[in-house]
Amino acid sequence: MSTLGQRCIAIVTDDPGWHGARLREAFGARGWETRNVSLQECHFDLAGDGDGIRLPGFAGLPEAVFVRGVPGGTFEQVIFHLDLLHALRELGVLVYNDARAIERSVDKCMTSFLLRAAGIATPPTWVMRDADILERELQRELAAGHRLLHKPLFGSQGEGIALVRAAADVPAPEDCSGLHYLQRYIPTGAGQSHDWRVFVIGGQAVAAMRRSSTGPLTNVAQGASCQPAVLDAELKALAEAAAARLDMAYAGVDILRDPDGKAWVIEVNGVPAWKGLQQVCGADIADALASDLLGRLHHRQAIEAVS
């Protein structure tokens, strides 16, 4: 039971901002309170009675946890933050998205592997540490006339991504932790680069926008412009399949089409922002998220009541 009452959702974030306010309003309209919680302020207490995990502002466990962000840090610190989310799930708390989904999506290598294994079209990708393997794959792709994107394994908003036209464009090992993630660059035809950000909630694509840029990256944080978009059946199904493969309650799925019209899933974001999307599409994303989370919670409680 929380200090705020039994009907309280913990919002995991270090920067509530606009998104935290929208979630507070959406849950509040349904009679639920929210409290912002930083994983950096949580801890395990395995010395005595109780659940073994402590969240600031909660005397016990929250009804549910909405994950809006996981702090960065050293490898050990990141593992600790994910351990907290894993532990909450083990204790029966509804975690939305849970640590397993976040691990699959924050790690671009695992995302690419899972999408390909499921037969979901995603660009050819190579991930390696060995310099000889890097040189071999790089030279083969460049000789075939392909460009590549060198991405950090963990990253968002287009930060740290380099367009590779020649071997000299590849970051030095000390600038990328000695790990190279190379993905074939898929052009989208003449004119501006563009893709679609599709927001999937509860297995359904609920909103989308088209992002355009004069450069190779279409992230809004990198200066891309956004326009409302109506998805065709193929893009809708592709986004929903990608979110389902990573077992995500909600997701931001990035899709593009090459000049031949083939659709490719580029990335799947497990803690997607939606301010830009809401501004162009008019959908109340926070309302849909709150509805889905509470629907899952009520379904679970109904099952527990009769078991």
Side-chain angles (χ1 to χ4, degrees):
M1 177 178 176
S2 76
T3 58
L4 299 179
Q6 292 183 334
R7 295 169 64 84
C8 185
I9 306 294
I11 308 295
V12 171
T13 180
D14 286 322
D15 181 21
W18 183 90
H19 292 86
R22 300 289 81 73
L23 289 170
R24 183 177 65 250
E25 293 171 1
F27 283 111
R30 291 167 169 78
W32 287 76
E33 297 177 273
T34 63
R35 184 176 185 87
N36 298 320
V37 174
S38 170
L39 291 179
Q40 299 183 75
E41 298 174 357
C42 301
H43 70 282
F44 286 93
D45 180 355
L46 309 176
D49 297 332
D51 299 305
I53 188 169
R54 301 287 181 263
L55 276 64
F58 289 85
L61 297 176
E63 305 297 319
V65 171
F66 189 108
V67 181
R68 258 299 300 150
V70 176
T74 65
F75 179 74
E76 290 85 356
Q77 288 168 341
V78 171
I79 291 297
F80 167 67
H81 298 148
L82 292 172
D83 282 346
L84 289 163
L85 297 180
H86 278 299
L88 287 166
R89 180 179 178 275
E90 289 293 324
L91 291 168
V93 176
L94 175 63
V95 182
Y96 186 100
N97 280 310
D98 68 21
R100 300 170 305 165
I102 291 171
E103 287 169 346
R104 297 184 191 108
S105 61
V106 75
D107 178 352
K108 290 183 177 64
C109 177
M110 184 53 61
T111 298
S112 296
F113 172 79
L114 292 173
L115 292 175
R116 181 181 181 277
I120 296 171
T122 193
T125 299
W126 301 264
V127 187
M128 75 289 286
R129 293 186 61 182
D130 186 273
D132 291 336
I133 298 174
L134 170 65
E135 182 178 2
R136 184 178 69 236
E137 301 297 346
L138 186 63
Q139 293 304 325
R140 187 182 65 225
E141 281 293 292
L142 294 176
H146 299 301
R147 290 177 288 173
L148 297 160
L149 292 174
H150 188 287
K151 300 182 180 182
L153 203 62
F154 305 134
S156 62
Q157 299 184 329
E159 295 182 1
I161 298 179
L163 179 64
V164 178
R165 300 182 179 89
D169 296 328
V170 176
E174 59 269 23
D175 295 329
C176 60
S177 302
L179 188 64
H180 300 279
Y181 175 105
L182 291 170
Q183 187 173 75
R184 185 180 296 170
Y185 175 70
I186 307 295
T188 56
Q192 291 187 323
S193 301
H194 62 272
D195 69 1
W196 288 267
R197 162 57 65 90
V198 186
F199 212 96
V200 179
I201 302 176
Q204 301 294 316
V206 300
M209 63 180 175
R210 188 178 187 270
R211 305 182 299 187
S212 303
S213 172
T214 55
L217 303 183
T218 54
N219 305 83
V220 176
Q222 301 298 321
S225 61
C226 306
Q227 302 85 34
V230 177
L231 296 177
D232 59 37
E234 182 187 15
L235 294 184
K236 182 176 184 295
L238 196 57
E240 292 170 353
R245 181 62 188 89
L246 272 63
D247 196 17
M248 308 184 80
Y250 75 107
V253 183
D254 297 339
I255 304 175
L256 57 76
R257 286 190 186 278
D258 64 24
D260 294 327
K262 181 175 180 177
W264 303 82
V265 175
I266 305 303
E267 291 188 10
V268 183
N269 193 325
V271 283
W274 64 87
K275 186 175 182 179
L277 176 61
Q278 183 164 307
Q279 289 174 341
V280 300
C281 76
D284 192 336
I285 305 297
D287 183 75
L289 288 165
S291 178
D292 185 57
L293 185 153
L294 292 178
R296 292 167 185 256
L297 184 60
H298 295 155
H299 178 71
R300 173 186 290 188
Q301 292 171 340
I303 292 175
E304 292 173 348
V306 298
S307 61

